[in-house]
Amino acid sequence: MLQTVTGLIHEKEAGTILVHEHVLVGFVEDGKLTPEDYDRDEVVASILPLLMQLKEAGCSTFVDCAPEYLGRDPYVLKELSAKSGLRFVTNTGFYKAPYLPPFVYQATERELSDLWTREAQNGIGDSGVFPGYIKIALNDGTSINETQQKILRAAIRTSFETGLPIQCHTIGGDTALHAGEIMREAGYDRERFIWVHAQTGKDLTVHQRLADEGMWISIDSILPGTYDKHVELLQQLRNHGVSSEQILLSQDTGWYTVGEEKGGNLRPYHHLLTDFLTYAAQQGLDLDWLQQCVTRNAYRAMRIRS
C-alpha cells in the first residue's frame, strides 16, 4: 500500500502518480528553516490553483519531495489535499550540506535511523501525518562523502525496519554506482531505492546495470523546452536494455520558495500529463508504456514493503 498524508491507499486509489514534485522549498542553511519563515495560508493559496490544474489533467497522487529542514510541512499538505482532492505523500529523512542541522554531523547512523523510524511508526510531530518514504541526498561527485554515507546507511536501516522505500537525490552514474555498492554490502534490496535525477547519468550502461539489480530509474525535470532531449533519453534507455518496468517519470517542479515575494516563480505541475506524454508518443514512444511509468511503475516504486 501507499502511505499518504490522509492514510493508506491501494494502487487503484493512487491512480496517476507524480513521484517527484515540490510544494514548498526553503534553501536556508544549517537546518534553520522553520514554519515562522513563511505564511502557510499564502503557500496554500499560491499552490492550490496549480494543483487544481493538475487534478483536471488526471493526476491523483502527488509525492512531495522536500525533506525536513528543506520545506516539509505536513499541515500544508493536509490542507492542500482537503481543498484539491489530490492525495499527497510526504517523507522522513534529511537532505545534504549546507542544509543539514549541526546535530546530524555528530549523530550516529543508529540515532538518525531511530529518529526516522519513530516518525514512520508514530507520525510527524502532532500532525497525525505519517511519512510514505525516506528522502535523502548524496553529495555531487564521483564518491559519497562520510556524512552522506552515514545518512544513506541510516536510510537503509530505517527502510529495513519500516518497509519504506528510499528516494535519493543522486547526481551522476558514478555516485549511483557507489550507492549501489553500499546497498549490496548491507544486503539491501535495490527495489526499495529510487535513483532521483537519473537523467544526470551519462553512461547508460550504468542505468542498465542498476535497473537489472532492481533500482528504480527516475527521469525528472521533464519541463517545457526539454521534451526532445527527454524523448531521446527514453529511447536510448530502452535501446540499452533498461527495463521498461523500472523507469519513472516526473518533473521536479513547482514550488513556493521561502524568502521570495509570493513564493517566487511558480511553475505548473500539469505539463507532463497534458503535453509531454502525447508529444513523446508522437515521436514513437509507446503511450501505454509512458502511462505505465506514472501509474503501475510509480506505485510499485513507492509502495511500502512488508
Side-chain angles (χ1 to χ4, degrees), residues 230-250:
H230 279 105
V231 167
E232 182 180 5
L233 173 59
L234 292 173
Q235 290 169 334
Q236 290 175 342
L237 288 171
R238 299 292 296 274
N239 292 339
H240 273 78
V242 176
S243 171
S244 62
E245 303 288 322
Q246 298 301 122
I247 295 176
L248 309 173
L249 304 177
S250 209

Side-chain angles (χ1 to χ4, degrees), residues 1-17 60-64 74 77-78 81-82 85-91 119-120 123-124 127-133 164-165 299 302-304:
M1 298 185 76
L2 194 66
Q3 178 69 61
T4 75
V5 300
T6 52
L8 291 164
I9 60 173
H10 292 283
E11 182 174 358
K12 186 176 181 180
E13 298 171 275
T16 297
I17 305 168
S60 299
T61 304
F62 182 111
V63 180
D64 183 73
L77 298 184
K78 277 204 302 186
S81 182
L86 287 167
R87 301 185 185 269
F88 285 82
V89 181
T90 190
N91 59 73
E119 285 196 333
I124 300 170
S127 68
V129 169
F130 290 80
Y133 70 105
L164 296 179
Y299 179 83
M302 291 299 302
R303 74 192 190 279
I304 299 173

Side-chain angles (χ1 to χ4, degrees), residues 194-296:
I194 300 170
W195 174 7
V196 175
H197 312 317
Q199 71 276 5
T200 62
K202 303 307 178 186
D203 181 355
L204 299 188
T205 62
V206 172
H207 299 71
Q208 184 264 325
R209 171 181 164 184
L210 295 177
D212 282 351
E213 294 177 0
M215 188 180 292
W216 295 95
I217 307 300
S218 182
I219 306 300
D220 48 67
S221 300
I222 302 175
L223 301 170
T226 72
Y227 294 167
D228 284 331
K229 75 174 184 180
H230 279 105
V231 167
E232 182 180 5
L233 173 59
L234 292 173
Q235 290 169 334
Q236 290 175 342
L237 288 171
R238 299 292 296 274
N239 292 339
H240 273 78
V242 176
S243 171
S244 62
E245 303 288 322
Q246 298 301 122
I247 295 176
L248 309 173
L249 304 177
S250 209
Q251 299 160 127
D252 189 20
T253 196
W255 54 74
Y256 185 101
T257 302
V258 177
E260 295 189 9
E261 185 177 0
K262 296 185 178 179
N265 179 29
L266 306 179
R267 295 175 296 182
Y269 298 112
H270 63 84
H271 286 302
L272 187 145
L273 302 181
T274 58
D275 302 347
F276 176 74
L277 296 186
T278 301
Y279 180 79
Q282 291 171 345
Q283 304 308 306
L285 290 170
D286 181 71
L287 182 58
D288 288 340
W289 170 68
L290 291 165
Q291 292 172 335
Q292 175 186 317
C293 292
V294 294
T295 53
R296 182 173 180 268

Side-chain angles (χ1 to χ4, degrees), residues 21-289:
E21 308 296 339
H22 292 279
V23 166
L24 168 71
V25 178
F27 293 105
V28 180
E29 295 186 3
D30 299 325
K32 292 181 179 179
L33 178 68
T34 72
E36 286 69 41
D37 294 320
Y38 54 90
D39 183 329
R40 281 178 170 145
D41 291 338
E42 183 175 274
V43 176
V44 170
S46 299
I47 295 294
L48 184 59
L50 303 181
L51 295 176
M52 299 309 295
Q53 287 180 308
L54 178 60
K55 185 183 180 186
E56 186 176 349
C59 185
S60 299
T61 304
F62 182 111
V63 180
D64 183 73
C65 291
E68 188 175 11
Y69 305 113
L70 203 70
R72 183 188 72 171
D73 192 317
Y75 300 96
V76 166
L77 298 184
K78 277 204 302 186
E79 186 171 352
L80 286 171
S81 182
K83 290 184 173 180
S84 69
L86 287 167
R87 301 185 185 269
F88 285 82
V89 181
T90 190
N91 59 73
T92 192
F94 299 148
Y95 196 55
K96 62 176 182 174
Y99 307 110
L100 296 171
F103 79 85
V104 173
Y105 300 99
Q106 282 74 48
T108 66
E109 171 192 320
R110 166 55 80 178
E111 287 169 338
L112 294 178
S113 176
D114 285 348
L115 284 174
W116 302 337
T117 298
R118 281 197 295 273
E119 285 196 333
Q121 294 174 344
N122 304 323
I124 300 170
D126 60 1
S127 68
V129 169
F130 290 80
Y133 70 105
I134 305 156
K135 173 64 189 297
I136 61 170
L138 303 178
N139 58 288
D140 304 344
T142 58
S143 61
I144 306 168
N145 67 30
E146 183 177 341
T147 297
Q148 300 310 132
Q149 283 196 44
K150 179 175 65 175
I151 285 174
L152 173 57
R153 290 191 167 93
I156 291 169
R157 183 186 293 268
T158 305
S159 181
F160 274 135
E161 295 181 358
T162 65
L164 296 179
I166 299 171
Q167 278 211 38
C168 185
H169 169 107
T170 308
I171 304 300
D174 290 338
T175 305
L177 285 171
H178 190 186
E181 292 171 6
I182 291 171
M183 285 183 271
R184 278 191 293 276
E185 291 170 2
Y188 184 68
D189 180 3
R190 265 78 76 197
E191 191 179 337
R192 300 185 186 199
F193 186 91
I194 300 170
W195 174 7
V196 175
H197 312 317
Q199 71 276 5
T200 62
K202 303 307 178 186
D203 181 355
L204 299 188
T205 62
V206 172
H207 299 71
Q208 184 264 325
R209 171 181 164 184
L210 295 177
D212 282 351
E213 294 177 0
M215 188 180 292
W216 295 95
I217 307 300
S218 182
I219 306 300
D220 48 67
S221 300
I222 302 175
L223 301 170
T226 72
Y227 294 167
D228 284 331
K229 75 174 184 180
H230 279 105
V231 167
E232 182 180 5
L233 173 59
L234 292 173
Q235 290 169 334
Q236 290 175 342
L237 288 171
R238 299 292 296 274
N239 292 339
H240 273 78
V242 176
S243 171
S244 62
E245 303 288 322
Q246 298 301 122
I247 295 176
L248 309 173
L249 304 177
S250 209
Q251 299 160 127
D252 189 20
T253 196
W255 54 74
Y256 185 101
T257 302
V258 177
E260 295 189 9
E261 185 177 0
K262 296 185 178 179
N265 179 29
L266 306 179
R267 295 175 296 182
Y269 298 112
H270 63 84
H271 286 302
L272 187 145
L273 302 181
T274 58
D275 302 347
F276 176 74
L277 296 186
T278 301
Y279 180 79
Q282 291 171 345
Q283 304 308 306
L285 290 170
D286 181 71
L287 182 58
D288 288 340
W289 170 68

